Amino acid sequence: MIYDTSITHACLRKLLDHLHPQDWLVLDLKPSAQPGEFGEPGQTEYGLKNWPDGSTIVTTSIWSQRENGRVLHNVTKYDHFVDATLVETELFDYNERWYRQPECEALVRAAGFIDIHITKAYDDSMPTAHDTFVLACRKP
C-alpha cells in the first residue's frame, strides 16, 4: 500500500466512489517485512554491472526507516558510465509502509466500507501477523 496514510485514505475513498452500491472491494495484501528481509538503517550497498556495449552501471543504495520503523526507506543512485565518463545519474527514492491487519481494517472502515472480512490468503483461515491476507469489504 501507499506509504502516506492520507493518500491511502484518499485512494480508498476514490475506490468507494467508483463502486456501485453493494459492490465488493477485495485486496490481497502482503504482511510486514521479516527481520533481515531488507537492509538495516544505515546499511549501504554497492553494485557494479558491466554491459556488453562497454558501459557500466554503478549503484549505491542506502537504507533507512521512518516513523519508528513503520516505513522502509531506500535511496538508490544509479551512475551510468560510457568510456569511463559519467553520462547519466538517476535517483530512486523508495518508501513502503508496513500496514498491520487492524490498520487496514480501520482504513477501509474510515473510507466508508462495511462488512469487512480479513482471511489468510488461499485458505480462508485467520491470518497471523506474517501471512499474506485478503481484505474484502463492501460499499453500503
Side-chain angles (χ1 to χ4, degrees):
M1 285 188 123
I2 301 161
Y3 84 95
D4 183 322
T5 55
S6 63
I7 295 172
T8 300
H9 179 76
C11 289
L12 288 168
R13 287 291 308 167
K14 187 68 82 174
L15 287 168
L16 181 76
D17 291 345
H18 287 305
L19 293 173
H20 295 288
Q22 306 304 313
D23 278 357
W24 287 85
L25 173 68
V26 179
L27 301 171
D28 186 9
L29 300 165
K30 70 179 188 173
S32 297
Q34 300 292 311
E37 189 174 344
F38 295 98
E40 295 296 320
Q43 180 180 340
T44 303
E45 298 170 340
Y46 303 96
L48 177 71
K49 174 76 173 171
N50 292 309
W51 292 93
D53 67 0
S55 66
T56 302
I57 303 289
V58 177
T59 60
T60 306
S61 182
I62 301 170
W63 294 93
S64 65
Q65 294 178 352
R66 296 178 173 167
E67 297 183 32
N68 296 320
R70 297 301 312 282
V71 176
L72 172 74
H73 183 221
N74 174 269
V75 175
T76 300
K77 181 174 87 164
Y78 300 90
D79 288 323
H80 181 200
F81 292 88
V82 175
D83 297 324
T85 301
L86 179 64
V87 295
E88 183 179 15
T89 296
E90 182 179 332
L91 285 176
F92 177 68
D93 190 351
Y94 176 78
N95 292 278
E96 185 171 345
R97 175 176 292 281
W98 304 122
Y99 287 95
R100 296 182 184 109
Q101 295 164 23
E103 280 180 287
C104 292
E105 182 175 352
L107 282 165
V108 295
R109 188 176 312 284
F113 288 93
I114 61 171
D115 294 338
I116 301 163
H117 303 277
I118 296 176
T119 59
K120 182 177 177 179
Y122 314 113
D123 76 1
D124 211 26
S125 65
M126 288 304 299
T128 67
H130 298 293
D131 288 327
T132 297
F133 63 98
V134 175
L135 184 148
C137 51
R138 186 170 57 82
K139 179 176 181 172

